[in-house]
Amino acid sequence: MGTGGQEAREKRSVMKLLETENITKTYRLGQTEIRALQGVSLSIEAGEFVAIMGPSGSGKSTLMHLLGFLDTPDGGAIRLLGQDISRLKDPQYAFLRNRVVGYVFQQFNLMARSSAEENVSLPLLYSDNPLGEAERARHMLEQVGLKERVRHRPNELSGGQQQRVAIARALVNQPLMILADEPTGNLDSSSGQEIMAIFKTLHAQGMTVVLVTHDENIGKAAERVVRMHDGKIISDERKQAFQAREVPLPENILTGGTQNVSYNFEEFREHFRQASRMIWTNKLRSFLSILGVMIGVACVITMLALGRGARESITEQLARLGSNLLSVRPGSVKVHGVSQEAGAATRLSFDDVRAIRETVPEVKRIAPQVTGQGQVVYGNKNWSTVVNGVTPEYAVMKNQEPMMGRFFTEEENQSRRRVALLGQTVAKELFGEENPIGKTFKINRINFQVIGLLPSLGARGWHDQDDLVLIPLMTAMRRVQGKDYLDQVEVEIKSADQIEAAQREITALIIRRHRLTPERYDSFNIRNFADIQNAMTSTTKTFSALLGSVAAISLLVGGIGIMNIMLVSVKERTREIGLRKAIGATARDILMQFLVEAVAITFLGGIVGILLAMLASWLIAAMAGWKVVISLSSLFLAFIFSAAVGIVFGLWPAQQAARLDPIHALRYE
Ligand code: ADP
């Protein structure tokens, strides 16, 4: 090192380290004013060992808080290395607390759930100190004689050991000075002596030490004793001539904090670990607080799964039912019911069918049908089902070729044969495992012979599409139901792009044939497959809408639950927040910590919600027969939702925490 450098360094070190000039501090308690400091001027040189003494209430702690940048004076100035620091912003104060002073409290103020090593490492979290963290913390613990206690928690250590952990924590960031407020006040005398020995060693190594005590014996250890009374310094004596020492200055000590230490992964990891620990130690409370979010997320996912399932099942159904279908029905048929004004309905006849077949060129196939309820009996088995009268073309048009046996022929239809094809459900109900083909059973007390078994169509919503019997149309009209009109005519159009034209032509044809006046146009009804699709989605849509509103309400209520629990958490941990601030956490660090915690809780809610949604989807699929498909994107959305709830509702409590003043927070009971 060059002489010039040496000189400059020495010059700096001789400078006053920390200096107060005529500072005042007044507390207001309602009407009364307590003038804790009434013009205190004190200068601390680098390398000094100062004891501040005086009776209780004389303002020692108040002064220490000001020296430790934990509080600001009402009047006067505080200078650090000659620079006025009484009007700094939060991140700069945080930097000074983190790097310039190491504060040792009477009550140790250790984090109860963290090990000695974690406690010592804490200030490193809030600094950009490049030194290896775990090693550094362990090294500091070794220095205070706690090498064997690295993993112990505060409640597993004696008072003296706890205070030694606190000293290691104060030293870990290599501060310019140690401030200790009654460090032996909570200790027995032998532990107290051990602690004092540590301070003496530190001082011998060049550390500046300022401690508050009312114990004259301890005061004797110091080189300089400052006595206070009623907020004033009444004496200030040095026992020996003071030798200025060289104090190594950390880089950027005065510019530091102006450039922010950015929120980094280390900090996030630590916050996440704290959050997990807090969730785990408060299991029941955490579980109750995630209920709302859990239900909300479950609803969102189930809703999306239902929508997607409905879409997929419609595509499947259309593929199975055959597309390009138009359905002509009498009356303004509602989605499921029959028109209420039966008298006004247009009755479709075979002549209508013939006319459509002959005059509408786009028609490929046509299937007239009647529908009725029927009581079917075989042996002692009895079942109520849907009996449809159809023509042979129906089989091809609707993909209903029998999987066993055969369909009936046009000849059988015309001669009104009593033959029937059974849907899977009916076959199972009447015949069980028996082969039904060739057997005779009764429909409304009329004997029928089973000639075929229909393929399974599965369920559509709550409706079992396999619960039906098909018989020849003429048999149904003349022998079973006694009808002379048709209930439905399904028309297959040659290609999809002709559907609209065909629909128009058929409409015109029926209006003409039945001489319908405009007010009776709704006495029949043609639906194309877009309508049918709508009818099919409407149920799931209603259900989805319901789930959607439950989701919205749950997320809101859940969010308020989270906010509540976070406010409780902030209150409970006020002292911890005070400590974190005292060792260098900025308001933003605290804000982030509580936000991470809120989001961790809501994420947990999200995960449990996803599991719940899987269960709900499975139940819906099993019970209602709806197709339910959980997509990856909906899971992603659920995570976004839960994170958003955490951020939105965690922000306010986190701000409450961030705004806390370190001294008030540390004193909070
Ligand atoms: P010491 O540390 O010497 O015992 P303090 O600095 O703690 O003294 O207190 C000085 C005076 O200020 C006392 O009268 C005390 O009651 C008062 N005081 C300290 N802190 C507060 C506070 N936060 N609000 C109101 N009064 C306070």
Side-chain angles (χ1 to χ4, degrees), residues 1-10:
M1 198 183 285
T3 20
Q6 186 82 26
E7 235 174 46
R9 250 195 125 138
E10 249 158 36

Side-chain angles (χ1 to χ4, degrees), residues 57-118:
S58 56
K60 306 181 295 291
S61 296
T62 305
L63 178 62
M64 285 294 265
H65 296 154
L66 296 176
L67 297 179
F69 317 111
L70 295 176
D71 207 352
T72 46
D74 301 330
I78 300 183
R79 281 188 283 271
L80 174 67
L81 297 165
Q83 289 200 19
D84 188 2
I85 51 106
S86 15
R87 303 279 172 270
L88 298 182
K89 295 207 168 70
D90 173 73
Q92 293 165 309
Y93 278 126
F95 179 86
L96 296 179
R97 289 173 204 147
N98 186 241
R99 298 297 298 277
V100 176
V101 294
Y103 211 104
V104 179
F105 303 90
Q106 183 177 350
Q107 297 85 353
F108 325 136
N109 285 329
L110 298 176
M111 304 236 298
R113 293 206 180 87
S114 304
S115 67
E117 186 182 335
E118 286 166 338

Side-chain angles (χ1 to χ4, degrees), residues 498-523:
Q498 294 173 331
I499 287 178
E500 274 182 42
Q503 189 168 354
R504 268 199 308 276
E505 284 168 55
I506 295 170
T507 308
L509 182 73
I510 290 172
I511 290 173
R512 205 164 57 238
R513 286 182 49 82
H514 291 263
R515 299 196 180 81
L516 297 179
T517 49
E519 65 271 17
R520 289 200 59 218
Y521 282 177
D522 64 352
S523 66

Side-chain angles (χ1 to χ4, degrees), residues 502-562:
Q503 189 168 354
R504 268 199 308 276
E505 284 168 55
I506 295 170
T507 308
L509 182 73
I510 290 172
I511 290 173
R512 205 164 57 238
R513 286 182 49 82
H514 291 263
R515 299 196 180 81
L516 297 179
T517 49
E519 65 271 17
R520 289 200 59 218
Y521 282 177
D522 64 352
S523 66
F524 75 101
N525 180 292
I526 303 187
R527 293 196 302 161
N528 64 30
F529 83 147
D531 299 331
I532 296 170
Q533 189 172 331
N534 288 343
M536 285 166 69
T537 38
S538 74
T539 332
T540 49
K541 263 200 187 131
T542 318
F543 201 74
S544 287
L546 189 75
L547 278 176
S549 35
V550 174
I553 294 168
S554 307
L555 285 176
L556 182 73
V557 173
I560 294 168
I562 298 292

Side-chain angles (χ1 to χ4, degrees), residues 27 29 34 36 55-62 664 667:
Y27 297 109
L29 277 179
I34 299 161
S56 177
S58 56
K60 306 181 295 291
S61 296
T62 305
H664 280 115
R667 290 214 171 138

Side-chain angles (χ1 to χ4, degrees), residues 117 120-121 124 132-141 172:
E117 186 182 335
V120 175
S121 304
L124 295 170
E133 304 210 348
E135 259 158 65
R136 219 179 139 62
R138 239 169 277 147
H139 176 70
M140 283 343 287
L141 281 167
V172 78

Side-chain angles (χ1 to χ4, degrees), residues 325-460:
L325 287 187
L326 286 178
S327 157
V328 188
R329 292 187 192 205
S332 49
V333 181
K334 307 288 178 324
V335 173
H336 292 299
V338 188
S339 165
Q340 298 305 301
E341 328 110 69
T346 294
R347 292 190 157 177
L348 298 166
S349 67
F350 282 111
D351 289 340
D352 292 321
V353 174
R354 201 171 307 122
I356 293 170
R357 202 195 294 275
E358 283 164 10
T359 61
V360 183
E362 292 88 354
V363 170
K364 188 173 171 193
R365 279 189 274 254
I366 186 159
Q369 296 160 35
V370 292
T371 292
Q373 201 68 25
Q375 199 66 25
V376 292
V377 180
Y378 174 74
N380 59 356
K381 306 260 180 52
N382 206 318
W383 187 248
S384 172
T385 186
V386 175
V387 178
N388 283 349
V390 298
T391 53
E393 271 189 319
Y394 182 90
V396 214
M397 240 175 95
K398 308 268 286 183
N399 289 335
Q400 287 284 283
E401 311 276 10
M403 52 177 285
M404 267 169 80
R406 61 179 183 87
F407 218 85
F408 46 79
T409 61
E410 185 53 32
E411 200 278 317
E412 281 170 315
N413 179 29
Q414 289 305 333
S415 51
R416 301 173 204 171
R417 285 288 164 74
R418 288 168 308 185
V419 290
L421 290 105
L422 305 185
Q424 303 267 330
T425 305
V426 178
K428 204 185 301 147
E429 291 296 335
L430 289 192
F431 297 95
E433 296 302 309
E434 226 179 301
N435 179 358
I437 311 289
K439 300 274 156 51
T440 301
F441 74 110
K442 287 191 165 74
I443 304 177
N444 295 351
R445 298 207 206 99
I446 304 168
N447 277 337
F448 273 80
Q449 194 188 18
V450 182
I451 57 166
L453 189 61
L454 296 168
S456 174
L457 279 175
R460 192 170 85 194

Side-chain angles (χ1 to χ4, degrees), residues 193-227:
Q193 274 160 18
E194 280 168 30
I195 296 298
M196 284 313 295
I198 293 175
F199 284 127
K200 276 186 214 157
T201 314
L202 285 170
H203 173 237
Q205 289 165 356
M207 180 61 76
T208 312
V209 180
V210 180
L211 66 80
V212 162
T213 183
H214 58 264
D215 184 336
E216 289 295 339
N217 284 329
I218 288 170
K220 279 186 194 127
E223 291 172 343
R224 177 181 169 194
V225 176
V226 175
R227 289 181 195 277

